[in-house]
Structures are given as C-alpha cells and as structure tokens.
Amino acid sequence: MHRNIRLLIAYDGGNYLGWQRQQQGKTVQGTIEQQLTRLCNEPITLHSAGRTDTGVHALGMVAHFRTQTTIPVVAFFKGINSMLPGDIRILCAEEAPLSFHSRYNAQGKTYRYDFFTGEVQLPATRLHRAHLPGLFDHRRLATALAGLVGTHDFSSFERTGSRDKNILGGRGAVRTLFNVCCFPQLGEADCWSLRITGDGFLRQMVRIIAGTLIEIGQSKRPEEELAAILSAQDRSKAGLTAPACGLFLETIYYAPPIFQSRVRP
Amino acid sequence: MHRNIRLLIAYDGGNYLGWQRQQQGKTVQGTIEQQLTRLCNEPITLHSAGRTDTGVHALGMVAHFRTQTTIPVVAFFKGINSMLPGDIRILCAEEAPLSFHSRYNAQGKTYRYDFFTGEVQLPATRLHRAHLPGLFDHRRLATALAGLVGTHDFSSFERTGSRDKNILGGRGAVRTLFNVCCFPQLGEADCWSLRITGDGFLRQMVRIIAGTLIEIGQSKRPEEELAAILSAQDRSKAGLTAPACGLFLETIYYAPPIFQSRVRP
C-alpha cells in the first residue's frame, strides 16, 4: 500500500544550512528525513514546496513523502516531534491524495521579513530579526510597495549566478507579486515587518527586496528609484541583500479544497 | 574623582547561570564586570537592583558601579556593547548621583511571565516562552488575580529553604503586589502573558504564582483555592514552579526625579 503524507513544518533556521539536504552539514530536510527513515524503517525522501537558504526560518513549510508503512498518521505529528530537536516542529501531518505534490500544486507563498531599526537590539529577539539601524519611516515606501505588485521581470532582485539563463526557458525571472506591505510590530519600538505574497520567488529575492525597501525607508535612496531598478534588470542597481535571520516563510497556498497551509499568525 | 555610573541592562538568560557572579560558570554580572574591568582598567563591582535565577531574562535590569576612570559615559553604552556577547546589551548608561543605589532606592519591580498553552510550540519562540500545554481560559483567573493584589505573607509562594527564618527579621515573607494581570498575546494563538508588579519578590515567587495561576486557568484547580493557598503559608499548597525560560524582569521603579527604568514594551 502506498501512502502520501503531507507535513506542515516550522523551524528555526539559525542552526541549519538551509532546507535542502546536502552531503556535509546539518540541514532541515536531512534532519527530518533521518528521523522519518527511523520511524518508517524504510528510506524516506521529503519533497518540499520550496527551499530556504542558510539561516532562514519557516512557520509554514509544506512537504510530502511516500511511504509503505502502516503507522497511523498521528505518529508523523506527535511521534516524530519527540524525535526531532526543538528547533524543528511538525505542526500537522495528514494523509494526502497520491496526486498531491507540495511544489507542483503550490499556487503561491507568503514571506515575512522582520527587522529592527533602533540602535541597540534586545537580546531575546536578536536571532529572529535583522538589525538594520537607521531612522525608518514606512510611509516613505507607499509608491515603492505599489510598484512591486504585479507581474515583472525581477532580475534586479535575484542573486547573481543563480540561474543559467541559456538553459532555463519558461518564465525566466518573471514572477507575480500579489501583495507587498510594511507595518510596524505593535507594542515594539523600531520593529517592522515586510510581508510579501507572490506566485513564486527567485533566489534571495525577498531579502534583496527587503534590503532595497529598507534603504528607501531610511532615506538612503529616493522612493522613485524602485521603478528604475526593476526595469534595469540588473542586480547591481538594487540594494543590499538583507540578513537571513529576519526572513520567515509564512504560508504556502494551495487551491482549496486540496489543502491550505496554516500558520499561527 | 569618584563617579557613579548607572546601567540599564537587557539580557537573554538562557545561556547564563543567573545574574549573580559565582566562582564557576558563566553569569550575567560576571560577564559585564569582566568587560567593565577591562575598559576602566580597574576592578569594577556591579550592584544590581536584584538577582535573577538561572535562565531568567531581563528587559530592564538596573545596576550601578563606582569608578575613578575619566572615560566618557558613552563608552559604557556604545563601547561596552561591542565587547559584550549579543545576549547582553547595555540599553542606557548615565552618570548618577553618588548617593544612588540600584537596590536600596528601588521602589518596585515588574515581571512578565510568557507561556504557551497549545500542543506544538513554534521553534522561533521556544526559548523565551514556557510550554505548559492544556486548554487555558484567562477569564477563570479574575478572582485569583484580585486576591493576590495587596499586602500578604507570600510564604506559600517562596522556594523552600530560601531564607533562614530565625535570622531574618523585618518584613519576613510579607510583600505588596500592586497589580497582577493576565492577557493574551495579540495575534498569537495560545500565547499568554502574566504581568506582576510589586514592592519586592521572594525567591521564585513569580514562577510559583505563575505555575499556580496557570493550573487554575487550565481548570486543574478551582479558582477559589487561591485564598486558602495564601493563608496556609505553606509552599506545598501552591502549584508547580513554572519554568525559568518564560520569565522576564521588565522594569525597576525609582522615585522620580531620580531615575526611571525604561524598557521597550
């Protein structure tokens, strides 16, 4: 009997070399696969909705795996959490149709970028918020945020050397952003979040967008520059790549009634 | 020339054996004193408003020290932060009157206790929130919270063996609580805070109060029991000592115009 098990996963990326399994070094995928393999007593391969880079966190990553085991599905939730380190938690495990695929069926994703613009960062939150000091005014971002929404070639916001442009056909660097917003974190001085929802993201795209928007909010760039950066299709025109520790993969979207990635807000 | 320097300090207690310097093991006081001694080139002793136990965090600890150095006060803020690990931050450093004493002049303190009552705790906050699973209703606490406010003998909420009752005179275990409240953390499911303000606290008092209140909120004890626990003056009648990782020393109060401990909320 084949089963397809779908997992909703949260992790603190600070101790991991990203999601993707690799030969050397600790990764989130490798750590979960190792325990699933123990639990199922057969080799398990996880397929995720996407990858996250070194140090990036997730609140609602989705991944699935095939197994022949007859273990009740609750074991992939309660049982596996007791085998995993505390910085990785399975929030939900469900039987999925055999046709379900975490990546192919995903229709979009939301990322959140948390940052602190004050001078001295409070210790308890320092590992989950980027520290980018400098007077920040989110009202300076209105035009820039609106300009990012829609379908654009985001080459200017992609890590250089990420794709071999001769091989890849398809949509290239064209992606659609549905919503981009910036808001202060309630009750916390100088703490801000950017939230970006789109149909897909290029390598380091959210962090380069965040770095560029933060420079605009800190008056280091004029707000009008964003349109020119986009149309230049040139990474060197955009801002710094903001640090990984502020980035959270929040939600993966699937067409109802298939599945909805849920996340505690 | 003698100077009295007052520090406002935040720290992540997770990596420390509490505030107080000791022969073996890393403490917050020991770590700061070591760097101040380097900076001032003379032995520095910190006097704090109080102590925190192993694993307890602070957002607004106050401490002062005497020095003969002529280093500008900004060095005890900007300079020292570059010498300290990221889990300890000096938020403010000021010249204080020679008569100022962090402990003797303190008029009260506020502690916050953060806890999560859901089943699976999100990785990013696991080190700064206690995990006490079980359906929790803060409305069950109304009578108990009100009953704690005021001047009482808090022997039932003190770690046993903390004081030699034959030696200590004065107020014994009598303390005055000005305010005790419980509120949900906005935008986060199953996350709660208790905030307790009083003129002083016995050893582990906040954690034992938290443990007892959480048991009431989770229907493991009747709400009316709190009055009986207080009057029993017997530690064994109260609830569990809640874990250290949820406890934050938020604010120390001094009479204006002397000084006000500030903290980002």
Side-chain angles (χ1 to χ4, degrees), chain A residues 10-12 59 77-78 81 86-87 89-91 116 119-124 126 128 187 189 264-265, chain B residues 10-12 59 77-78 81 86-87 89-91 116 119-124 126 128 187 189 264-265:
Chain A
Y11 50 88
D12 181 338
L59 294 164
F77 169 61
K78 300 212 177 190
N81 276 334
D87 51 13
R89 291 290 93 177
I90 308 301
L91 304 180
F116 172 69
E119 199 165 353
V120 184
Q121 192 169 32
L122 288 180
R126 77 192 185 289
H128 301 96
R264 296 202 196 92
Chain B
Y11 50 87
D12 181 338
L59 296 163
F77 168 61
K78 298 213 177 187
N81 276 335
D87 51 14
R89 291 291 92 178
I90 309 299
L91 304 180
F116 171 70
E119 198 165 355
V120 184
Q121 191 169 32
L122 287 180
R126 79 193 184 287
H128 302 96
R264 297 204 196 89

Short mmCIF file of all heavy atoms in Angstrom, two decimals, chain A residues 10-12 59 77-78 81 86-87 89-91 116 119-124 126 128 187 189 264-265, chain B residues 10-12 59 77-78 81 86-87 89-91 116 119-124 126 128 187 189 264-265:
data_model
loop_
_atom_site.label_atom_id
_atom_site.label_comp_id
_atom_site.label_asym_id
_atom_site.label_seq_id
_atom_site.Cartn_x
_atom_site.Cartn_y
_atom_site.Cartn_z
N ALA A 10 7.41 23.87 10.94
CA ALA A 10 8.00 25.14 11.37
C ALA A 10 9.43 24.86 11.82
O ALA A 10 9.71 23.81 12.38
CB ALA A 10 7.20 25.74 12.52
N TYR A 11 10.33 25.78 11.52
CA TYR A 11 11.70 25.61 12.04
C TYR A 11 12.39 26.93 12.26
O TYR A 11 12.05 27.94 11.65
CB TYR A 11 12.53 24.68 11.15
CG TYR A 11 12.55 24.99 9.68
CD1 TYR A 11 13.48 25.88 9.14
CD2 TYR A 11 11.67 24.35 8.82
CE1 TYR A 11 13.52 26.14 7.78
CE2 TYR A 11 11.70 24.61 7.45
CZ TYR A 11 12.62 25.50 6.94
OH TYR A 11 12.64 25.76 5.60
N ASP A 12 13.34 26.86 13.18
CA ASP A 12 14.24 27.96 13.46
C ASP A 12 15.49 27.69 12.63
O ASP A 12 16.25 26.76 12.91
CB ASP A 12 14.56 27.93 14.96
CG ASP A 12 15.47 29.05 15.38
OD1 ASP A 12 16.18 29.60 14.51
OD2 ASP A 12 15.49 29.38 16.57
N LEU A 59 7.57 29.18 9.25
CA LEU A 59 6.41 28.97 10.12
C LEU A 59 5.44 28.00 9.49
O LEU A 59 4.64 27.39 10.18
CB LEU A 59 5.71 30.32 10.37
CG LEU A 59 6.53 31.34 11.16
CD1 LEU A 59 5.94 32.73 11.03
CD2 LEU A 59 6.60 30.92 12.62
N PHE A 77 3.20 13.25 13.55
CA PHE A 77 2.96 14.53 14.20
C PHE A 77 3.49 14.43 15.63
O PHE A 77 4.54 14.95 15.97
CB PHE A 77 1.46 14.81 14.12
CG PHE A 77 0.97 15.95 14.95
CD1 PHE A 77 1.45 17.23 14.73
CD2 PHE A 77 0.03 15.74 15.95
CE1 PHE A 77 0.98 18.28 15.49
CE2 PHE A 77 -0.44 16.79 16.71
CZ PHE A 77 0.05 18.07 16.49
N LYS A 78 2.81 13.63 16.45
CA LYS A 78 3.23 13.50 17.84
C LYS A 78 4.53 12.71 17.99
O LYS A 78 5.44 13.11 18.71
CB LYS A 78 2.14 12.81 18.67
CG LYS A 78 0.84 13.58 18.66
CD LYS A 78 0.09 13.41 19.96
CE LYS A 78 -1.18 14.26 19.94
NZ LYS A 78 -1.86 14.34 21.21
N ASN A 81 7.80 14.51 16.53
CA ASN A 81 8.25 15.68 17.29
C ASN A 81 9.11 15.29 18.49
O ASN A 81 10.01 16.04 18.88
CB ASN A 81 7.05 16.52 17.75
CG ASN A 81 6.58 17.48 16.66
OD1 ASN A 81 7.37 17.87 15.80
ND2 ASN A 81 5.32 17.86 16.71
N GLY A 86 14.15 20.59 19.21
CA GLY A 86 13.11 21.58 19.45
C GLY A 86 13.05 22.70 18.42
O GLY A 86 12.05 23.41 18.34
N ASP A 87 14.11 22.85 17.61
CA ASP A 87 14.08 23.92 16.62
C ASP A 87 13.42 23.49 15.32
O ASP A 87 13.36 24.26 14.35
CB ASP A 87 15.48 24.51 16.38
CG ASP A 87 16.53 23.46 16.09
OD1 ASP A 87 16.16 22.31 15.83
OD2 ASP A 87 17.72 23.81 16.13
N ARG A 89 9.62 21.65 14.31
CA ARG A 89 8.35 21.09 14.80
C ARG A 89 7.44 20.75 13.62
O ARG A 89 7.29 21.55 12.69
CB ARG A 89 7.59 22.09 15.68
CG ARG A 89 8.20 22.42 17.04
CD ARG A 89 8.12 21.26 18.02
NE ARG A 89 9.34 20.47 17.96
CZ ARG A 89 9.60 19.42 18.74
NH1 ARG A 89 8.71 19.04 19.64
NH2 ARG A 89 10.73 18.74 18.61
N ILE A 90 6.85 19.57 13.67
CA ILE A 90 5.81 19.22 12.71
C ILE A 90 4.50 19.72 13.31
O ILE A 90 4.09 19.27 14.38
CB ILE A 90 5.75 17.70 12.47
CG1 ILE A 90 7.14 17.13 12.13
CG2 ILE A 90 4.72 17.38 11.38
CD1 ILE A 90 7.80 17.71 10.90
N LEU A 91 3.86 20.68 12.64
CA LEU A 91 2.63 21.28 13.18
C LEU A 91 1.41 20.47 12.80
O LEU A 91 0.38 20.56 13.46
CB LEU A 91 2.47 22.71 12.66
CG LEU A 91 3.65 23.67 12.94
CD1 LEU A 91 3.34 25.05 12.38
CD2 LEU A 91 3.93 23.75 14.43
N PHE A 116 14.74 45.40 12.77
CA PHE A 116 14.79 46.36 13.88
C PHE A 116 15.69 47.50 13.45
O PHE A 116 16.81 47.28 13.01
CB PHE A 116 15.34 45.66 15.12
CG PHE A 116 15.63 46.58 16.27
CD1 PHE A 116 14.61 47.20 16.96
CD2 PHE A 116 16.94 46.84 16.66
CE1 PHE A 116 14.88 48.05 18.02
CE2 PHE A 116 17.22 47.68 17.72
CZ PHE A 116 16.19 48.30 18.40
N GLU A 119 18.89 51.47 17.76
CA GLU A 119 20.35 51.39 17.93
C GLU A 119 20.77 50.08 18.60
O GLU A 119 21.69 49.41 18.16
CB GLU A 119 20.83 52.59 18.75
CG GLU A 119 22.31 52.84 18.59
CD GLU A 119 22.72 54.21 19.10
OE1 GLU A 119 21.82 55.01 19.46
OE2 GLU A 119 23.92 54.48 19.16
N VAL A 120 20.10 49.73 19.70
CA VAL A 120 20.51 48.55 20.48
C VAL A 120 19.39 47.53 20.45
O VAL A 120 18.28 47.78 20.90
CB VAL A 120 20.83 48.94 21.94
CG1 VAL A 120 21.34 47.73 22.69
CG2 VAL A 120 21.83 50.08 21.99
N GLN A 121 19.71 46.36 19.95
CA GLN A 121 18.69 45.33 19.78
C GLN A 121 18.51 44.52 21.06
O GLN A 121 19.49 44.12 21.68
CB GLN A 121 19.08 44.41 18.63
CG GLN A 121 17.95 43.49 18.20
CD GLN A 121 18.24 42.78 16.91
OE1 GLN A 121 19.39 42.47 16.61
NE2 GLN A 121 17.22 42.50 16.12
N LEU A 122 17.26 44.25 21.43
CA LEU A 122 17.02 43.46 22.63
C LEU A 122 17.49 42.03 22.41
O LEU A 122 17.23 41.43 21.37
CB LEU A 122 15.53 43.48 22.99
CG LEU A 122 15.03 44.82 23.56
CD1 LEU A 122 13.55 44.76 23.88
CD2 LEU A 122 15.83 45.21 24.81
N PRO A 123 18.18 41.47 23.42
CA PRO A 123 18.78 40.14 23.27
C PRO A 123 17.80 39.04 22.88
O PRO A 123 18.13 38.21 22.04
CB PRO A 123 19.40 39.87 24.64
CG PRO A 123 19.74 41.22 25.17
CD PRO A 123 18.62 42.11 24.70
N ALA A 124 16.61 39.04 23.49
CA ALA A 124 15.72 37.89 23.29
C ALA A 124 15.27 37.73 21.85
O ALA A 124 14.90 36.65 21.42
CB ALA A 124 14.50 37.98 24.22
N ARG A 126 17.10 38.92 19.09
CA ARG A 126 18.19 39.25 18.16
C ARG A 126 18.42 38.19 17.08
O ARG A 126 18.93 38.50 16.01
CB ARG A 126 19.50 39.48 18.91
CG ARG A 126 20.18 38.20 19.38
CD ARG A 126 21.30 38.48 20.36
NE ARG A 126 22.01 37.26 20.71
CZ ARG A 126 21.52 36.28 21.47
NH1 ARG A 126 20.29 36.34 21.95
NH2 ARG A 126 22.25 35.21 21.74
N HIS A 128 16.08 36.49 15.54
CA HIS A 128 14.93 36.35 14.65
C HIS A 128 14.47 37.67 14.07
O HIS A 128 13.30 37.82 13.68
CB HIS A 128 13.77 35.66 15.40
CG HIS A 128 14.16 34.31 15.90
ND1 HIS A 128 14.60 34.11 17.18
CD2 HIS A 128 14.27 33.11 15.27
CE1 HIS A 128 14.91 32.83 17.33
NE2 HIS A 128 14.72 32.20 16.20
N GLY A 187 3.41 47.51 19.68
CA GLY A 187 3.95 47.46 21.03
C GLY A 187 5.46 47.31 21.09
O GLY A 187 6.02 47.11 22.15
N ALA A 189 9.00 49.22 19.83
CA ALA A 189 9.57 50.39 19.17
C ALA A 189 10.59 49.95 18.11
O ALA A 189 11.38 49.03 18.34
CB ALA A 189 10.26 51.27 20.21
N ARG A 264 0.14 29.68 12.64
CA ARG A 264 -0.24 30.61 13.71
C ARG A 264 0.28 31.98 13.32
O ARG A 264 1.44 32.11 12.95
CB ARG A 264 0.38 30.20 15.03
CG ARG A 264 -0.12 28.84 15.50
CD ARG A 264 0.06 28.68 16.99
NE ARG A 264 -0.07 27.26 17.32
CZ ARG A 264 0.97 26.43 17.38
NH1 ARG A 264 2.19 26.88 17.20
NH2 ARG A 264 0.78 25.17 17.64
N PRO A 265 -0.55 33.00 13.36
CA PRO A 265 -0.16 34.31 12.83
C PRO A 265 1.03 34.90 13.61
O PRO A 265 1.25 34.55 14.74
CB PRO A 265 -1.39 35.15 13.02
CG PRO A 265 -2.14 34.50 14.12
CD PRO A 265 -1.87 33.05 14.01
N ALA B 10 19.65 44.69 29.36
CA ALA B 10 18.76 43.62 28.90
C ALA B 10 19.61 42.39 28.66
O ALA B 10 20.75 42.50 28.20
CB ALA B 10 18.04 44.03 27.61
N TYR B 11 19.08 41.23 28.98
CA TYR B 11 19.82 40.01 28.64
C TYR B 11 18.90 38.82 28.40
O TYR B 11 17.77 38.78 28.88
CB TYR B 11 20.88 39.66 29.71
CG TYR B 11 20.43 39.64 31.14
CD1 TYR B 11 19.88 38.49 31.71
CD2 TYR B 11 20.58 40.76 31.95
CE1 TYR B 11 19.49 38.46 33.04
CE2 TYR B 11 20.18 40.74 33.27
CZ TYR B 11 19.63 39.60 33.82
OH TYR B 11 19.24 39.58 35.12
N ASP B 12 19.45 37.92 27.62
CA ASP B 12 18.81 36.64 27.34
C ASP B 12 19.44 35.67 28.34
O ASP B 12 20.61 35.31 28.22
CB ASP B 12 19.15 36.25 25.90
CG ASP B 12 18.52 34.94 25.50
OD1 ASP B 12 18.18 34.14 26.38
OD2 ASP B 12 18.37 34.72 24.29
N LEU B 59 14.63 42.60 30.62
CA LEU B 59 14.49 43.67 29.64
C LEU B 59 14.93 44.99 30.23
O LEU B 59 15.28 45.92 29.50
CB LEU B 59 13.02 43.78 29.19
CG LEU B 59 12.48 42.56 28.45
CD1 LEU B 59 10.97 42.57 28.41
CD2 LEU B 59 13.06 42.55 27.04
N PHE B 77 28.08 52.50 27.13
CA PHE B 77 26.89 52.17 26.37
C PHE B 77 27.35 51.62 25.01
O PHE B 77 27.30 50.42 24.76
CB PHE B 77 26.05 53.45 26.25
CG PHE B 77 24.92 53.41 25.28
CD1 PHE B 77 23.90 52.50 25.45
CD2 PHE B 77 24.86 54.29 24.21
CE1 PHE B 77 22.84 52.46 24.56
CE2 PHE B 77 23.81 54.26 23.32
CZ PHE B 77 22.80 53.35 23.50
N LYS B 78 27.92 52.49 24.19
CA LYS B 78 28.36 52.05 22.86
C LYS B 78 29.59 51.15 22.94
O LYS B 78 29.67 50.11 22.29
CB LYS B 78 28.67 53.26 21.98
CG LYS B 78 27.46 54.15 21.76
CD LYS B 78 27.48 54.81 20.40
CE LYS B 78 26.21 55.63 20.22
NZ LYS B 78 26.03 56.18 18.91
N ASN B 81 29.03 47.58 24.62
CA ASN B 81 28.22 46.65 23.83
C ASN B 81 29.04 45.93 22.78
O ASN B 81 28.75 44.77 22.44
CB ASN B 81 27.04 47.38 23.17
CG ASN B 81 25.85 47.51 24.11
OD1 ASN B 81 25.69 46.72 25.03
ND2 ASN B 81 25.03 48.52 23.89
N GLY B 86 26.22 39.15 22.23
CA GLY B 86 24.94 39.70 21.79
C GLY B 86 23.78 39.39 22.72
O GLY B 86 22.73 40.04 22.62
N ASP B 87 23.93 38.44 23.64
CA ASP B 87 22.82 38.13 24.54
C ASP B 87 22.81 39.01 25.79
O ASP B 87 21.97 38.82 26.67
CB ASP B 87 22.78 36.62 24.89
CG ASP B 87 24.12 36.10 25.38
OD1 ASP B 87 25.00 36.91 25.70
OD2 ASP B 87 24.26 34.86 25.45
N ARG B 89 22.93 43.28 26.44
CA ARG B 89 23.01 44.62 25.86
C ARG B 89 22.83 45.67 26.95
O ARG B 89 21.93 45.57 27.77
CB ARG B 89 21.91 44.85 24.82
CG ARG B 89 22.00 44.06 23.52
CD ARG B 89 23.17 44.51 22.64
NE ARG B 89 24.35 43.72 22.92
CZ ARG B 89 25.51 43.87 22.27
NH1 ARG B 89 25.62 44.76 21.29
NH2 ARG B 89 26.56 43.14 22.59
N ILE B 90 23.70 46.66 26.94
CA ILE B 90 23.51 47.83 27.78
C ILE B 90 22.62 48.79 27.00
O ILE B 90 23.00 49.26 25.92
CB ILE B 90 24.85 48.51 28.14
CG1 ILE B 90 25.85 47.48 28.69
CG2 ILE B 90 24.62 49.65 29.13
CD1 ILE B 90 25.43 46.78 29.95
N LEU B 91 21.42 49.07 27.52
CA LEU B 91 20.46 49.91 26.78
C LEU B 91 20.69 51.38 27.08
O LEU B 91 20.30 52.25 26.30
CB LEU B 91 19.03 49.53 27.16
CG LEU B 91 18.63 48.06 26.95
CD1 LEU B 91 17.19 47.85 27.36
CD2 LEU B 91 18.84 47.65 25.49
N PHE B 116 2.95 29.39 26.67
CA PHE B 116 2.22 28.88 25.51
C PHE B 116 1.46 27.64 25.95
O PHE B 116 2.05 26.72 26.52
CB PHE B 116 3.22 28.55 24.40
CG PHE B 116 2.63 27.83 23.22
CD1 PHE B 116 1.76 28.48 22.37
CD2 PHE B 116 2.94 26.50 22.97
CE1 PHE B 116 1.19 27.81 21.28
CE2 PHE B 116 2.39 25.83 21.89
CZ PHE B 116 1.52 26.49 21.05
N GLU B 119 -0.44 22.81 21.74
CA GLU B 119 0.20 21.50 21.76
C GLU B 119 1.64 21.56 21.24
O GLU B 119 2.55 21.01 21.86
CB GLU B 119 -0.62 20.52 20.91
CG GLU B 119 -0.28 19.07 21.21
CD GLU B 119 -1.32 18.11 20.65
OE1 GLU B 119 -2.35 18.59 20.12
OE2 GLU B 119 -1.10 16.90 20.73
N VAL B 120 1.84 22.24 20.10
CA VAL B 120 3.17 22.25 19.48
C VAL B 120 3.69 23.69 19.47
O VAL B 120 3.08 24.58 18.87
CB VAL B 120 3.12 21.70 18.04
CG1 VAL B 120 4.52 21.63 17.47
CG2 VAL B 120 2.48 20.33 18.02
N GLN B 121 4.81 23.90 20.10
CA GLN B 121 5.34 25.26 20.22
C GLN B 121 6.18 25.63 19.00
O GLN B 121 6.99 24.85 18.53
CB GLN B 121 6.21 25.34 21.49
CG GLN B 121 6.57 26.77 21.83
CD GLN B 121 7.20 26.87 23.21
OE1 GLN B 121 7.87 25.96 23.66
NE2 GLN B 121 6.97 27.98 23.88
N LEU B 122 5.99 26.86 18.51
CA LEU B 122 6.76 27.29 17.35
C LEU B 122 8.23 27.44 17.74
O LEU B 122 8.56 27.99 18.78
CB LEU B 122 6.22 28.62 16.82
CG LEU B 122 4.87 28.50 16.09
CD1 LEU B 122 4.39 29.87 15.60
CD2 LEU B 122 4.98 27.54 14.92
N PRO B 123 9.13 26.95 16.86
CA PRO B 123 10.56 26.92 17.20
C PRO B 123 11.14 28.29 17.55
O PRO B 123 11.92 28.39 18.49
CB PRO B 123 11.20 26.35 15.93
CG PRO B 123 10.15 25.49 15.34
CD PRO B 123 8.86 26.21 15.62
N ALA B 124 10.76 29.34 16.81
CA ALA B 124 11.45 30.62 16.99
C ALA B 124 11.25 31.22 18.38
O ALA B 124 12.06 32.02 18.83
CB ALA B 124 11.02 31.62 15.92
N ARG B 126 10.54 29.27 21.22
CA ARG B 126 10.55 28.23 22.26
C ARG B 126 11.46 28.52 23.43
O ARG B 126 11.24 28.02 24.53
CB ARG B 126 10.93 26.87 21.64
CG ARG B 126 12.42 26.71 21.39
CD ARG B 126 12.73 25.53 20.51
NE ARG B 126 14.17 25.33 20.36
CZ ARG B 126 14.97 26.10 19.64
NH1 ARG B 126 14.47 27.15 18.98
NH2 ARG B 126 16.25 25.84 19.55
N HIS B 128 11.95 31.44 24.81
CA HIS B 128 11.53 32.62 25.56
C HIS B 128 10.07 32.56 25.96
O HIS B 128 9.44 33.60 26.20
CB HIS B 128 11.82 33.89 24.74
CG HIS B 128 13.26 34.01 24.39
ND1 HIS B 128 13.77 33.60 23.20
CD2 HIS B 128 14.31 34.44 25.13
CE1 HIS B 128 15.09 33.80 23.19
NE2 HIS B 128 15.43 34.31 24.35
N GLY B 187 -2.46 38.42 18.29
CA GLY B 187 -2.02 37.83 17.02
C GLY B 187 -1.32 36.50 17.16
O GLY B 187 -0.80 35.98 16.19
N ALA B 189 -1.89 32.60 18.67
CA ALA B 189 -2.82 31.68 19.31
C ALA B 189 -2.16 31.00 20.50
O ALA B 189 -0.99 30.62 20.45
CB ALA B 189 -3.26 30.62 18.29
N ARG B 264 11.71 48.94 26.34
CA ARG B 264 10.82 48.86 25.17
C ARG B 264 9.72 47.88 25.52
O ARG B 264 10.00 46.80 26.00
CB ARG B 264 11.60 48.36 23.96
CG ARG B 264 12.71 49.30 23.56
CD ARG B 264 13.08 49.12 22.10
NE ARG B 264 14.37 49.74 21.85
CZ ARG B 264 15.53 49.12 21.98
NH1 ARG B 264 15.57 47.83 22.30
NH2 ARG B 264 16.66 49.74 21.76
N PRO B 265 8.47 48.24 25.28
CA PRO B 265 7.35 47.43 25.78
C PRO B 265 7.32 46.05 25.13
O PRO B 265 7.87 45.88 24.05
CB PRO B 265 6.14 48.23 25.39
CG PRO B 265 6.55 49.08 24.26
CD PRO B 265 8.01 49.38 24.46
#
